[in-house]
């Protein structure tokens, strides 16, 4: 038997002696003591005896009942045949110190939990409660066993909602309809299990999203997280993160490295019962245990007020700024997460030592905290193990992409890239600028952070590019290629969900998108960007004024943007010059010449069965039909459907039909006819 269980049973043996003395005292002058139906009804004699019993004049219980219940470690005397119990085994005494309990509190707690450990107390309590159906200690019975009674105002105060027993979740009062002396006391099973030596995490917390992290890892170094972990006294901290989860990961690692257990909580909403159980769990596990809470995006105040405790280290991590109204009664420290983002490469290297290739190049686009890196690396190893191959670039990208919060789905359409640079047909200059754009996204932390080439003014580390060119010249395809090269998802902003007729609503919708993009590793695409990034005009009406306000907001927001964004437009002249200054790259997509059009025809039909000699026909179509890349792709699709309908290979006639239809769609004259062609 564990020492903790022996210590608790020894205390219960002391309590049983007191209960026996009280039973003997009660039965000595109780004429109904031998009545087999005692406790099922109240006779006239019993009522008369109770009415004639005077109230106690002093708060002292009878000597036979007021048995001393020790609450200091080492006061227990083990049975003669048993081995000596170390002070650490007496968990009730340790719990009393950690929870700030008085000797009376500890005695009440012991009396309340007795039936949960020893069933004999159920029958004894039923007798003492004069009700065979009430087999738990009532408030009056627990106080009487502790040497006092409900007539003592100080003793009654131990059951106040703000008193340690109730406020800290050690005892619950049942039977709300009864007066206080008759209310039953119940001790949560987690508390009973702890006193018996069981340190399993509370099941209620497991369902609420709480994870227990054991001590271990490297000792914390300098920084905010290290100062929190090495603080001599419990602290309550609001840690503002650069992105969701980064600060919480850093603090959790530092606390564990300092030899402290961590209860990591990711709540979706405020659950008062779970919050109380979380603090109780931290206290049960000792003063070194800390709580790290990832604050929800909306209304975190109630959760902060519930969990801010002076005797437990609690770290509230979130991207929102600190609000002093969250916990006005608590001394909450407001700190910023200042851990360098370049540390993530070290974490990747530690988790993937056998990775073949340039690891820095592979993980450069991802802005993950150390804890997220470890989860992503383990996911990549699991994927590689499932495939039966060494971990590679695809495994790393897929696992890291899963950790990027897909919160943009509410405002944008996600595109999983399925193309690469081999699918682009562009002149060398724009193609080189697209590769430069991918390189900027990979190396921005080193250039702007480590090399300190970022200017002040609160500017972010974002990469913003403008793709300008006629419709169908490949702007959207190029954005998808860049996203695929970086191993990121692309989100196309839906302008219908952004633009609003009410003043100020468009800016609010854009702010939601930018805020989520800052927290997400992805490429954000504003297609037809001149709809929201247009030029400011002279104010001639209220409409002009509010339109200019929208542009001013976007100018400010781009300065602080930390993500990757691509703006596309068919009319570059419509983009405000102030936006152009804030762009990292402006890529012009020219209308394809004859040579590029021929390459586009061949690229679009590369995987299609073709009749012999079709290549020459494609060269002729490139000369005769001045089509952009998007139109050529549509013409190739039309030719493919015509051939599939016949069950044959694509012929020259199919290609010409497709090209002519694209001319008709655009309202242009078909070459060689002088009129619009119809099939």
């Amino acid at each position: 038997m564990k020492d903790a269980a022996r210590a608790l049973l020894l205390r219960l043996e002391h309590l049983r002696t007191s209960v026996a003395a009280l039973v003997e005292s009660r039965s000595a002058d109780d004429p109904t003591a031998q009545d087999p139906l005692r406790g099922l009804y109240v006779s006239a004699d019993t009522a008369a005896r109770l009415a004639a019993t005077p109230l106690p004049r002093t708060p002292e219980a009878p000597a036979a009942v007021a048995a001393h219940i020790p609450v200091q470690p080492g006061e227990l005397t083990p049975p003669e045949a048993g081995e000596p119990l170390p002070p650490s085994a007496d968990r009730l005494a340790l719990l009393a110190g950690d929870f700030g309990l008085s000797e009376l509190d500890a005695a009440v707690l012991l009396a309340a939990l007795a039936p949960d450990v020893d069933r004999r107390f159920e029958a004894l309590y039923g007798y003492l409660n004069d009700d065979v159906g009430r087999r738990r200690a009532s408030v009056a019975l627990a106080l009487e066993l502790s040497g006092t009674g409900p007539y003592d105002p100080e003793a009654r105060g131990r059951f106040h909602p703000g008193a340690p027993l109730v406020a800290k979740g050690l005892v619950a009062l049942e039977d709300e309809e009864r007066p206080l002396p008759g209310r039953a006391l119940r001790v949560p099973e987690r508390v009973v299990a702890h006193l018996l030596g069981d340190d399993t995490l509370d099941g209620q917390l497991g369902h609420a999203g709480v994870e227990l992290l054991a001590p271990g890892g490297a000792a914390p170094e300098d920084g905010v997280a290290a100062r929190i972990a090495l603080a001599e006294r419990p602290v309550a901290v609001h840690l503002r993160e650069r992105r969701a989860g980064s600060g919480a990961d850093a603090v959790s690692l530092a606390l564990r490295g300092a030899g402290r257990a961590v209860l990591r909580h990711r709540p979706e909403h405020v659950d008062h019962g779970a919050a109380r159980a979380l603090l109780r769990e931290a206290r049960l596990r000792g003063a070194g245990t800390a709580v790290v809470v990832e604050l929800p995006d909306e209304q975190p105040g109630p959760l902060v007020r519930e969990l801010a405790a002076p005797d437990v280290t609690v770290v509230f991590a979130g991207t929102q700024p600190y609000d002093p109204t969250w916990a006005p009664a608590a001394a909450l420290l407001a700190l910023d997460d200042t851990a360098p983002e370049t540390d993530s490469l070290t974490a990747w290297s530690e988790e993937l030592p056998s990775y073949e290739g340039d690891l820095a190049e592979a993980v450069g686009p991802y802005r993950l905290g150390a804890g997220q890196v470890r989860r992503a690396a383990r996911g990549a190893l699991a994927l590689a193990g499932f495939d039966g191959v060494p971990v590679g670039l695809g495994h790393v990208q897929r696992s890291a992409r899963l950790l990027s919060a897909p919160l943009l789905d509410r405002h944008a359409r996600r595109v999983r890239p399925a193309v690469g640079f081999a699918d682009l047909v562009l002149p060398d200059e724009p193609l080189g600028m697209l590769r430069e754009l991918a390189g900027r996204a990979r190396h921005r932390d080193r250039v702007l952070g480590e090399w300190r080439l970022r200017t002040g003014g609160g500017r972010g580390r974002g990469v913003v590019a403008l793709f300008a060119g006629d419709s169908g010249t490949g702007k959207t395809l190029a954005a998808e290629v860049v996203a695929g090269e970086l191993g990121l998802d692309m989100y196309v902003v839906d302008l219908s969900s952004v633009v609003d007729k009410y003043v100020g609503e468009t800016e609010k919708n854009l702010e939601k998108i930018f805020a989520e993009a800052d927290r997400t590793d992805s490429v954000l695409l504003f297609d037809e960007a001149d709809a929201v990034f247009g030029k400011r005009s002279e104010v001639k009406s209220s409409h002009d004024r509010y339109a200019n306000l929208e542009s001013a907001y976007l100018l400010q927001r781009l300065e602080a943007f930390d993500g990757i964004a691509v703006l596309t437009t068919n009319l570059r002249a419509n983009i405000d010059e102030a936006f152009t200054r804030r762009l990292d790259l402006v890529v012009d997509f020219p209308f394809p010449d004859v040579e590029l059009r021929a390459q586009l025809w061949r690229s679009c039909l590369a995987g299609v069965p073709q009749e012999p000699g079709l290549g020459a026909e494609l060269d002729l179509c490139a000369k005769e039909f001045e089509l952009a890349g998007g139109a050529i792709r549509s013409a190739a699709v039309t030719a493919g459907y015509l051939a599939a309908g016949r069950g044959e290979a694509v012929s020259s006639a199919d290609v010409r039909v497709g090209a002519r239809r694209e001319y008709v769609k655009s309202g242009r004259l078909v070459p060689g006819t002088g009129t619009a062609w119809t099939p």
Side-chain angles (χ1 to χ4, degrees):
M1 183 183 299
K2 292 184 178 180
D3 288 343
R6 290 178 56 206
L8 183 60
L9 292 177
L10 183 56
R11 285 193 178 277
L12 292 178
E13 186 61 26
H14 281 277
L15 177 64
R16 189 191 61 77
T17 304
S18 298
V19 171
L22 183 58
V23 170
E24 183 179 356
S25 175
R26 290 269 187 92
S27 61
D29 60 351
D30 185 358
T32 64
Q34 305 302 322
D35 188 347
L37 298 180
R38 183 182 183 278
L40 297 180
Y41 74 100
V42 178
S43 66
D45 292 341
T46 300
R49 182 177 60 83
L50 293 174
T53 302
L55 292 175
R57 297 181 179 180
T58 64
E60 296 181 359
V65 178
H68 176 61
I69 300 180
V71 296
Q72 295 298 324
E75 291 186 2
L76 285 175
T77 304
E80 295 180 0
E83 298 179 0
L85 291 172
S88 60
D90 190 4
R91 288 199 168 192
L92 180 59
L94 297 174
L95 180 146
D98 292 336
F99 282 75
L101 302 183
S102 66
E103 188 169 337
L104 176 59
D105 290 328
V108 169
L109 178 61
L110 183 66
L113 66 83
D116 293 287
V117 180
D118 190 340
R119 290 194 60 190
R120 292 179 297 173
F121 284 94
E122 290 188 85
L124 293 171
Y125 284 177
Y127 177 85
L128 294 174
N129 285 325
D130 200 15
D131 187 341
V132 295
R134 306 190 67 214
R135 298 194 167 202
R136 287 192 175 274
S138 63
V139 170
L141 177 57
L143 291 177
E144 192 172 359
L145 289 170
S146 304
T148 183
Y151 45 78
D152 183 355
E154 183 179 352
R156 292 177 70 100
R158 310 318 297 168
F159 302 96
H160 187 274
L165 279 176
V166 179
K168 296 182 178 180
L170 296 176
V171 170
L173 277 74
E174 300 180 336
D175 307 322
E176 293 183 1
E177 72 283 357
R178 290 179 177 271
L180 179 63
R183 296 185 66 177
L185 300 177
R186 181 180 58 81
V187 178
E189 173 57 28
R190 176 65 188 100
V191 178
V192 178
H194 170 78
L195 294 175
L196 288 170
D198 185 358
D199 289 325
T200 305
L201 182 67
D202 192 339
Q204 179 184 1
L205 296 179
H207 292 298
V210 176
E211 181 183 6
L212 175 62
L213 305 176
E221 300 178 356
D222 294 336
V224 173
R227 295 204 303 272
I228 294 173
L230 299 175
E232 296 181 358
R233 298 180 179 179
V235 292
V237 178
H238 172 261
L239 184 65
R240 187 176 185 184
E241 303 171 310
R242 287 190 303 270
R243 63 177 320 203
S246 61
D249 287 337
V251 172
S252 298
L253 288 173
L255 287 165
R256 297 175 64 197
R260 304 174 66 176
V262 177
L263 292 169
R264 182 80 175 267
H265 188 22
R266 300 178 176 88
E268 297 181 358
H269 58 276
V270 180
D271 184 338
H272 298 286
R276 179 176 295 183
L278 180 59
L279 289 178
R280 182 182 66 204
E281 186 71 27
R283 294 184 180 107
L284 289 176
R285 293 182 176 275
T289 302
V291 176
V292 178
V293 183
E294 296 183 23
L295 290 179
D297 293 332
E298 298 181 359
Q299 298 182 346
L303 185 64
V304 175
R305 284 191 290 274
E306 193 78 27
L307 289 175
D311 58 332
V312 178
T313 292
V314 184
V315 180
F316 303 98
T319 56
Q320 57 274 79
Y322 169 68
D323 187 343
T325 62
W326 287 345
L332 204 64
L333 300 177
L335 303 174
D336 291 332
D337 178 20
T338 57
E341 296 183 5
T342 51
D343 285 350
S344 62
L345 181 58
T346 302
W348 279 109
S349 302
E350 292 174 354
E351 294 293 328
L352 299 176
S354 61
Y355 182 84
E356 297 181 0
D358 190 342
L359 186 60
E361 190 82 4
V363 303
Y366 304 106
R367 300 167 297 158
L368 303 177
Q372 292 175 308
V373 167
R374 285 173 170 79
R375 291 199 296 273
R378 291 164 190 162
L381 291 171
L383 288 172
F386 181 77
D387 293 337
V389 296
V391 63
L393 176 63
H395 302 119
V396 172
Q397 289 181 341
R398 182 177 179 184
S399 182
R401 195 161 50 208
L402 291 175
L403 287 180
S404 294
L407 302 175
L408 282 167
D409 288 328
R410 293 172 290 183
H411 308 287
R413 174 173 54 87
R414 183 171 67 172
V415 176
R416 182 63 55 83
V419 291
F421 275 102
D423 299 293
L424 276 180
V425 179
L426 286 173
D428 291 340
E429 182 176 355
L431 199 60
M433 296 183 74
L434 292 178
R435 295 188 184 278
E436 180 185 343
L437 176 61
R440 282 176 176 257
R442 284 195 179 96
H443 306 301
R444 52 183 164 156
D445 286 339
R446 175 181 297 176
V447 174
L448 299 179
E450 184 179 342
W451 293 354
R452 303 174 64 86
L453 287 178
R454 180 175 58 169
T455 57
R459 288 177 173 83
R461 299 186 182 183
V463 178
V464 184
L466 174 66
F467 293 174
D470 293 338
S471 177
T473 51
K475 301 183 295 297
T476 303
L477 179 65
E480 184 178 349
V481 167
V482 171
E485 177 72 9
L486 295 172
L488 305 175
D489 288 335
M490 182 176 74
Y491 284 89
V492 183
V493 177
D494 184 2
L495 293 180
S496 65
S497 66
V498 173
V499 179
D500 198 295
K501 65 179 180 179
Y502 294 106
V503 174
E505 292 301 314
T506 300
E507 289 88 335
K508 291 180 181 179
N509 294 334
L510 286 168
E511 177 58 31
K512 292 178 182 178
I513 293 175
F514 278 116
E516 297 300 347
D518 279 339
R519 300 168 52 185
T520 305
D521 289 325
S522 62
V523 173
L524 189 63
L525 175 63
F526 286 92
D527 206 3
E528 307 296 342
D530 45 307
V532 288
F533 293 85
K535 282 187 174 182
R536 290 167 290 182
S537 60
E538 182 182 352
V539 178
K540 296 182 179 179
S541 67
S542 60
H543 297 287
D544 297 331
R545 176 172 176 247
Y546 290 120
N548 289 345
L549 284 176
E550 181 181 312
S551 297
Y553 157 76
L554 287 168
L555 288 170
Q556 294 177 348
R557 193 60 181 84
L558 282 180
E559 292 277 3
F561 185 55
D562 278 330
I564 305 171
V566 175
L567 286 58
T568 69
T569 180
N570 298 340
L571 300 170
R572 178 177 172 180
N574 287 351
I575 301 294
D576 196 300
E577 293 180 0
F579 287 114
T580 305
R581 183 182 66 81
R582 289 164 170 81
L583 298 173
D584 295 288
L585 288 173
V586 176
V587 184
D588 288 311
F589 287 73
F591 193 89
D593 56 18
V594 174
E595 183 179 351
L596 287 178
R597 290 200 295 269
Q599 293 181 31
L600 286 167
W601 276 109
R602 287 182 169 83
S603 175
C604 292
L605 293 172
V608 177
Q610 304 175 13
E611 287 187 352
L614 184 62
E617 182 63 30
L618 297 181
D619 291 336
L620 289 175
C621 285
K623 294 178 181 179
E624 295 180 16
F625 298 94
E626 296 181 358
L627 297 174
I632 290 176
R633 178 169 295 278
S634 297
V637 171
T638 299
Y641 275 118
L642 292 173
R646 299 192 311 271
E648 301 175 355
V650 173
S651 65
S652 300
D654 296 330
V655 172
R656 285 195 168 271
V657 169
R660 289 171 177 172
R661 286 186 179 176
E662 291 305 311
Y663 256 58
V664 172
K665 284 165 58 178
S666 61
R668 302 168 66 184
L669 297 179
V670 178
T673 65
T675 59
W677 177 84
T678 55

